[in-house]
Amino acid sequence: MTGLYAMSALAPFVVSEWDLSRAAVGALVTVSFGVAAAVSLVAGQLVDRWGARAAVTTLCATVAVALLGASTSATYGWLLVAVAVAGVGQALANPATNVLVNRAVPGDRRGTAIGMKQAGVQLAAFGCGMVLPVVAVTVGWRGALRLAAVAPLLVLLAAWWYTPTAAGQQQGGRWWRLAAPSGWLAWLVGFSLLLGTGLAAVNTYLPLYATQRLGLDAGVAGGLLAVFGVTGLVARVWWGRWADRSPEVLGALSLLTAAAVAGVLLVLLAGPLWSGLVWMGALVVGGSATAANAVSMLAVLRCGEAVAQASGLVSLGFFSGFVVGPAAIGWCADVAGWEASWLVVGVLFAGAAVVARRVRTAGTGRAATR
């Protein structure tokens, strides 16, 4: 996820150089996650065929190539091509890592493992928000992207060294064959779609909103993204540990997305009332919406589906939200203003809370099987 958070943290610099609209900034995320959504249709089958080590090293290599390619982009069009490459790695991430957790971690510790794994996403937000704007002031946003490329390269080396060669590998089967999700899984995919759409908008536009509407400078806006990231990191680890002590985790989905609605309202009110509310909003959304994504991944392991393929389908819903959210919310901000765009984000999280109740109803009894 470093590609997403790097572009979000560096958005004020890119906008300044190329005079981009907010919708154009959102299109960068849309293209990347459009590729991720498309590849997610077969990502689970690919992970089953290749094994986890090959999948993890492939995803790391593509993200590194994407960041380095973005740093050399001479035009906006080439920047779009570079961020699209990162989508392949994003699609492989959850199926590959969920297979590792399912095979290597005892059942009573998988919640903690999933929370730790998903917290890596928020660690990327924290690192990008704290480091990259500061680096960009000194060496430019291109130099900052080159620095960010170090992270996936280090993970690539670690994955190649520590992951067993055949972990999760299955022989035979056709990687392009698509399986229809069960009724319960279909509801979870829908939940992930709504959650991803709202979360993508927050990830993409929080720093830009802080600079353009609230008058904060780029460095402080990057710190806002860092707060969002570190809160999500702590929340994912905490909710993961909680899940290991709870026999049924699906009820947490509606609670977490309802809390995200409250966080978005705080961000919205920061404009007309007091800019300090944006920090509170970042804390609430960062802790609730990101934790909801982690809990949805744990639900896949708990409810007896084929892990790699189910993870790919849930990721498909989540990534599709990232396709729709940035460009749509950016367009809304351009046409109707920031307030209207944050209202739409709040409605999306509210819709996710409603769907989460259906996920819980449809999933009753399934979680007890694992």
Side-chain angles (χ1 to χ4, degrees):
M1 296 296 289
T2 301
L4 168 67
Y5 289 117
M7 294 311 304
S8 179
L10 297 173
F13 299 92
V14 180
V15 167
S16 177
E17 178 170 331
W18 286 338
D19 192 28
L20 301 179
S21 68
R22 284 167 281 195
V25 175
L28 293 171
V29 183
T30 299
V31 167
S32 179
F33 281 93
V35 173
V39 177
S40 289
L41 286 168
V42 295
Q45 292 90 321
L46 289 173
V47 171
D48 283 338
R49 191 177 185 87
W50 294 348
R53 183 169 77 166
V56 172
T57 53
T58 299
L59 74 89
C60 291
T62 56
V63 173
V65 168
L67 289 166
L68 292 172
S71 74
T72 62
S73 299
T75 65
Y76 175 72
W78 281 112
L79 187 63
L80 283 173
V81 172
V83 298
V85 174
V88 177
Q90 291 165 358
L92 294 171
N94 278 320
T97 53
N98 283 356
V99 165
L100 284 176
V101 170
N102 194 50
R103 288 180 174 269
V105 180
D108 60 352
R109 295 182 57 194
R110 286 176 186 160
T112 299
I114 289 289
M116 292 290 290
K117 174 180 79 76
Q118 298 292 121
V121 176
Q122 304 314 119
L123 184 61
F126 176 77
C128 290
M130 287 295 292
V131 176
L132 296 188
V134 177
V135 174
V137 170
T138 305
V139 299
W141 62 270
R142 299 174 188 276
L145 286 175
R146 293 179 187 122
L147 176 64
V150 174
L153 291 174
L154 292 176
V155 177
L156 186 155
L157 294 174
W160 186 263
W161 185 263
Y162 289 108
T163 305
T165 303
Q169 191 171 18
Q170 299 178 12
Q171 300 298 322
R174 297 177 179 177
W175 64 267
W176 63 86
R177 179 173 292 172
L178 306 180
S182 64
W184 170 83
L185 185 57
W187 281 109
L188 188 60
V189 171
F191 168 84
S192 295
L193 172 63
L194 292 169
L195 179 69
T197 305
L199 193 54
V202 178
N203 287 341
T204 305
Y205 293 113
L206 195 58
L208 202 59
Y209 170 73
T211 56
Q212 293 186 351
R213 179 66 175 87
L214 305 181
L216 304 181
D217 64 40
V220 175
L224 187 64
L225 185 63
V227 167
F228 176 88
V230 74
T231 305
L233 187 154
V234 173
R236 284 180 163 182
V237 173
W238 188 91
W239 279 96
R241 292 177 63 86
W242 168 84
D244 283 336
R245 301 188 298 269
S246 174
E248 194 272 315
V249 300
L250 297 179
L253 294 176
S254 56
L255 173 65
L256 289 167
T257 43
V261 175
V264 170
L265 290 177
L266 290 171
V267 173
L268 168 64
L269 294 174
L273 296 183
W274 175 50
S275 62
L277 291 175
V278 74
W279 296 93
M280 298 173 60
L283 283 169
V284 175
V285 178
S288 56
T290 57
N293 175 241
V295 172
S296 71
M297 284 298 162
L298 177 60
V300 171
L301 271 66
R302 285 278 185 93
C303 293
E305 303 282 351
V307 172
Q309 295 185 34
S311 299
L313 289 173
V314 174
S315 295
L316 168 64
F318 192 68
F319 292 155
S320 296
F322 273 73
V323 174
V324 175
I329 300 302
W331 175 84
C332 183
D334 285 337
V335 172
W338 283 113
E339 284 73 16
S341 65
W342 289 120
L343 280 174
V344 173
V345 174
V347 169
L348 289 167
F349 285 139
V354 173
V355 174
R357 295 179 64 85
R358 189 68 184 90
V359 172
R360 184 182 186 184
T361 301
T364 300
R366 294 183 65 94
T369 64
R370 294 196 68 173

